[in-house]
Amino acid sequence: MKFTFTCLIFFALSYAGFAQQKAKYNIRVVDRSGQAVRGIFYAASDNGLTVIRNRKDTLKLSADSISALYIHRRGLVAPLAIAGGLTFFVLAAKSDKLAESVVLIAAGVPAGVSGGLLIGGLLSNKKRYQGLQPKDFPVIKSSLQQYTVLK
């Protein structure tokens, strides 16, 4: 019981520490030819977007070439999936019966992980802009500013 309580306190404190960090948002930008660019949403302006790609290179996209934007919060799904799996693992460790703990690990951990994935996907604050024209960027710039790293 002491070990479980210590683990729960540790997870609560680590979550509180990570909650103070500013949220980052992943973006997928689809251009007029149908190609997609993925990365972290850095900045929005009247004439385009700035995206940080996975290799830490910065890409400036013009508003003329963008046809759709898909934005979602980064780093929310994995912690909830891990918490769901760990919940059933702790329940299995507390069980006195061997058969019950094996069933909780074999069936409960995957169910907890998939439940955490589902809840994380629902809470990930998704935003979609489809059918964009270059004249739309000055209008949606103010709403895009809340998702950018650079304020």
Side-chain angles (χ1 to χ4, degrees), residues 100-114:
E100 183 179 330
S101 63
V102 168
V103 168
L104 280 173
I105 289 175
V109 170
V113 169
S114 44

Side-chain angles (χ1 to χ4, degrees), residues 73-115:
R73 185 169 177 192
R74 184 178 176 187
L76 185 67
V77 176
L80 291 175
I82 292 169
L86 282 177
T87 301
F88 281 98
F89 188 77
V90 168
L91 288 175
K94 286 179 63 176
S95 175
D96 295 334
K97 300 176 185 173
L98 179 65
E100 183 179 330
S101 63
V102 168
V103 168
L104 280 173
I105 289 175
V109 170
V113 169
S114 44

Side-chain angles (χ1 to χ4, degrees), residues 42 101 123 130 151:
Y42 184 69
S101 63
L123 297 177
Q130 297 175 340
K151 296 285 181 186

Side-chain angles (χ1 to χ4, degrees), residues 9-28:
I9 293 293
F10 171 75
F11 287 128
L13 290 176
S14 64
Y15 177 74
F18 285 116
Q20 302 302 318
Q21 293 178 350
K22 185 176 176 186
K24 291 184 181 176
Y25 291 88
N26 283 345
I27 186 169
R28 183 171 59 116

Side-chain angles (χ1 to χ4, degrees), residues 99-146:
E100 183 179 330
S101 63
V102 168
V103 168
L104 280 173
I105 289 175
V109 170
V113 169
S114 44
L117 288 172
L118 177 68
I119 292 170
L122 292 174
L123 297 177
S124 67
N125 194 9
K126 297 176 184 174
K127 188 76 172 178
R128 295 184 175 112
Y129 295 98
Q130 297 175 340
L132 290 173
Q133 299 296 324
K135 62 181 174 152
D136 295 335
F137 275 88
V139 176
I140 65 171
K141 179 186 169 191
S142 60
S143 66
L144 288 177
Q145 288 293 334
Q146 66 182 340

